[in-house]
């Protein structure tokens, strides 16, 4: 659901140089799966993965910034070729600000997708704040676009496709 005019939406998308993502609830369905040995497993959507690869091929950087410490996040990022992966992050906005400085871009040139309360500081700071259909209501209030799909169900691909069109 687009919460701004179509022309404003296109304008914001055209400025994006970096798509930054949360993991649990965005790249995954938010469920945590455990083996009998206590190993944590996550389910990622292959359509999201291809969308991210296409986005990077088009010259838009991708970053993962998550509070999760699961090594599966690192494995998925490596498989997709994502160069900027930050796990175990408590203060996501400061990590994003440092990355923007490194990439010589502004927060206005960032699209960020987050679904829960720890994502709010970034959503309120970037030029293109996004969230998923099953996000917390505060995130939906802060986002300019709410995906039709839920986290882990192709929501990231939905955003990738919009960015690729613009």
């Amino acid at each position: 659901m687009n919460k701004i005019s179509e022309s404003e939406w296109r304008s914001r998308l055209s400025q994006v140089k970096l798509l930054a993502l949360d993991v649990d609830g965005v790249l995954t369905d938010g469920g945590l799966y455990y083996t009998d040995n206590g190993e944590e497993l996550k389910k990622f959507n292959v359509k999201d993965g291809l969308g991210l690869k296409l986005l990077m091929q088009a010259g838009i950087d991708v970053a993962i910034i998550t509070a999760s410490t699961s090594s599966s996040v690192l494995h998925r990022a490596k498989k997709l070729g994502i160069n900027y992966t930050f796990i175990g992050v408590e203060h996501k906005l400061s990590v994003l600000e440092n990355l923007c400085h490194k990439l010589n871009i502004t927060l206005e040139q960032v699209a960020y997708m987050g679904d829960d309360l720890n994502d709010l500081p970034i959503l309120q700071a970037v030029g293109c704040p996004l969230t998923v259909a099953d996000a917390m209501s505060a995130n939906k209030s802060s986002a300019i676009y709410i995906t039709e799909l839920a986290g882990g169900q192709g929501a990231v691909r939905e955003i990738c496709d919009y960015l690729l069109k613009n």
Side-chain angles (χ1 to χ4, degrees):
M1 175 177 69
N2 204 339
K3 294 169 55 178
I4 57 176
S5 72
E6 188 67 25
S7 62
E8 177 67 17
W9 172 237
R10 286 186 191 153
S11 174
R12 297 236 197 150
L13 289 175
S14 69
Q15 295 175 43
V16 172
K17 304 289 185 206
L18 171 69
L19 173 63
L21 305 162
D22 178 35
V23 173
D24 295 321
V26 173
L27 281 168
T28 75
D29 63 8
L32 295 176
Y33 309 88
Y34 289 94
T35 66
D36 288 340
N37 297 331
E39 181 182 2
E40 183 180 293
L41 305 173
K42 295 180 185 295
K43 182 184 93 173
F44 295 91
N45 187 298
V46 70
K47 291 178 182 86
D48 290 344
L50 180 57
L52 292 169
K53 284 183 176 183
L54 293 171
L55 206 60
M56 290 182 289
Q57 288 172 4
I60 296 176
D61 286 313
V62 173
I64 291 173
I65 305 172
T66 180
S68 173
T69 57
S70 175
S71 61
S72 63
V73 174
L74 297 173
H75 293 294
R76 184 66 175 147
K78 183 178 180 183
K79 183 156 182 103
L80 294 175
I82 297 172
N83 294 321
Y84 308 107
T85 305
F86 307 91
I87 66 171
V89 178
E90 285 185 45
H91 304 288
K92 293 181 178 186
L93 181 56
S94 62
V95 168
L96 181 60
E97 288 170 335
N98 288 335
L99 179 58
C100 286
H101 180 73
K102 177 180 179 176
L103 296 174
N104 199 29
I105 63 173
T106 67
L107 288 172
E108 284 294 313
Q109 296 171 300
V110 175
Y112 181 80
M113 205 169 177
D115 70 310
D116 215 332
L117 300 178
N118 61 341
D119 298 305
L120 285 175
I122 290 182
L123 290 174
Q124 294 165 352
V126 298
C128 199
L130 313 165
T131 198
V132 295
D134 56 337
M136 300 304 295
S137 60
N139 294 64
K140 289 180 177 182
S141 294
S142 294
I144 61 168
Y145 184 83
I146 302 166
T147 61
E148 293 179 25
L149 300 169
Q153 305 299 315
V156 171
R157 178 62 176 268
E158 185 178 328
I159 295 303
C160 291
D161 288 349
Y162 276 120
L163 285 166
L164 289 167
K165 286 178 191 173
N166 286 281

